[in-house]
Amino acid sequence: MAPAGLLQTSLIWVAYAVAVALIFGVAVITTFTWAARHERSALVNTVTIISITAVLATVLLLPVDIALVSSTSSVSLGAKKDWATEDRIDNILLTLKIVYYSLYSFDALLCLVIIPFAYFWYEEYDEVEEEEGTRSFGSRFAGAVKYTLVFVALTLIVFLVGFFVPAAGADKGSHLDFEYFKRLLAANNGEKALTFGVGLLVTLGTLLYVLYTGVGLALLPVSFIKSAPSISAPQLTETTASALESNRERQRQLELRNAGRAGGMSQKDQREMDALMREERTLSRRERIAAEARGEGHSVIYRFWTKVQAVFRPLKLIGGILLLLIGLLIFVSMLITGIDKASNSVCKQHCGYILGHINVFQPINWIFVLSARAFPVDYALMALLILLLFTSSISGIASVGIRFLWVRIFQIRKGRTPPQALLIASVMLALIVLAINYAVAMLIAPQYAIYGTQTFCVNPPPHPGNQPDCREHLDMVRPCSENDNAAGNVCTPTVMSTFLNRVTLNWPVFGAIDFWAQFAFLGVYLIVFVTTLFRTPRLDLAQIDEDAEADEEEGLLASSGRRFGAAWQDITGRIGGKPRNGAHAEYGTNNGSSSRD
């Protein structure tokens, strides 16, 4: 039976390797989609691609963790499989720990050394000094290294506190009743410092997760359902051409009225003429944008792809409704688990509100257990759930921007994100991933994330030392839980849940902050969701004109995916009716509002 177990575990790792390869492609596309075209830096783009790949590889390790520990147990019999000996299980857990520590160490290296160096390296660039040749490569490198070392030193000082601050392990777990929890308490200063560092990072990530993931989870589905008012490229072309013709006709009238007049135009007419000329430049840019949206000047393949996007645009509505239902399901599941933990935790704030077993029906946990009957649907659903939270985090960062308190430092926009913002966003996503792992394992699907599909048999074994036998008593098979000591010999907790529980047990302050922050997350989600339902999206033509002007200054034309799309008009290339008068009024323009893509 050993080859069968080896084959199953190998397939799980192969699937993970394929997922990481796909992630790399996604990271490349994401980086070049969001990076500012006229400010691209090879070093910054490379570091960003590596960072996004590493972060996604880390967050997708949780489904692998669950799949591997679940593969050791027979769900129907509640016993370990024949090949799942203690040594084999220890080897599986050791491999998982090595991969976890390697990925998290690499993420820490990226956040503490590589990304800060890339940031300071870019900041050390001076175009004037480069052109004059007064700044050498060595001096720029030395400046970036100097600031990076200062940043690393300040960070290490914070983490060294973990060696000296007393942990909760000093009380020997006097408030705990179960052997499972007592085994989690760290017994040495090295592990205590490690749990302190991870706990601090999880807490910092949770603060970002509350704001950005909460906002993104609410906005992502609503932005699919309630898109900004659609403007087809043909309609934009015709209305812009009409407005441009009216503009030039008015200019001719002013010129004719003031022809031959001594002293030139009057001040009033001159002000009007200046305004008309500015408007003419804006309309000309908008006309070129519409022409590019129709595919003029592009290949047949590009124009065909534009038509395909227009055909499938209605599917956004279906996808948005599906994401909306999933978001509400996540909200309800987290609320149920949070209330259950706050009311029935075995040790309350002393251990970060660890719960022995779920006391109330939890829909997401039930869905995962139910889908486990069709392998590997449950693992695919877990991967999709994590990717949804990760994508929501990106959406939240793009919507809120990078801020210090209420001051926006950088804005994240497609094709216009500066290199510094890409690097800072990479660090933020790395921290948010830690918070996502905590939320999934502790609140969204706690029972499934800890034990997967494992079960155990409560029928007493016929002889001491043997496994319980439930082949004739299938009704005595129970799902694994932490508060049943009889499950300890059969149930193997995931590596991630074990480490997170160890952090909250040794540092209860982190556990309490992380737990109650989940309610703040739910509050942010609910406020943004309700607000967005009653807020009408508007297309900001002023922003479009500003972007087009910036592209024109750089010798480029705006080609990012604007929503010009009344679908049928984009497909046929014609407008259905006569455009209304007024180039601005029919777009639902609001210069004070912003549009979300």
Side-chain angles (χ1 to χ4, degrees), residues 238-310:
E238 184 161 332
T239 54
T240 302
S242 175
L244 194 57
E245 184 180 353
S246 299
N247 178 286
R248 288 169 177 167
E249 178 61 29
R250 179 57 182 165
Q251 290 188 50
R252 282 193 295 270
Q253 291 176 2
L254 289 175
E255 290 172 351
L256 290 173
R257 187 169 68 187
N258 291 275
R261 180 177 177 178
M265 288 187 181
S266 65
Q267 292 185 355
K268 177 181 178 182
D269 288 348
Q270 186 61 53
R271 286 195 299 270
E272 185 179 356
M273 177 63 75
D274 292 341
L276 288 170
M277 292 177 67
R278 288 194 297 270
E279 183 183 8
E280 181 185 19
R281 288 193 296 269
T282 298
L283 291 171
S284 297
R285 294 189 197 101
R286 197 175 296 169
E287 193 174 44
R288 289 195 294 271
I289 292 173
E292 186 169 293
R294 294 198 310 270
E296 292 183 9
H298 292 277
S299 64
V300 176
I301 296 176
Y302 179 88
R303 292 197 296 271
F304 173 76
W305 177 245
T306 303
K307 304 286 186 182
V308 170
Q309 285 181 312

Side-chain angles (χ1 to χ4, degrees), residues 175 345 347-354 504 507-509 511-512 516:
H175 55 277
S345 173
C347 45
K348 302 293 182 180
Q349 70 275 10
H350 299 293
C351 63
Y353 295 89
I354 292 177
T504 57
W507 302 97
V509 61
W516 289 110

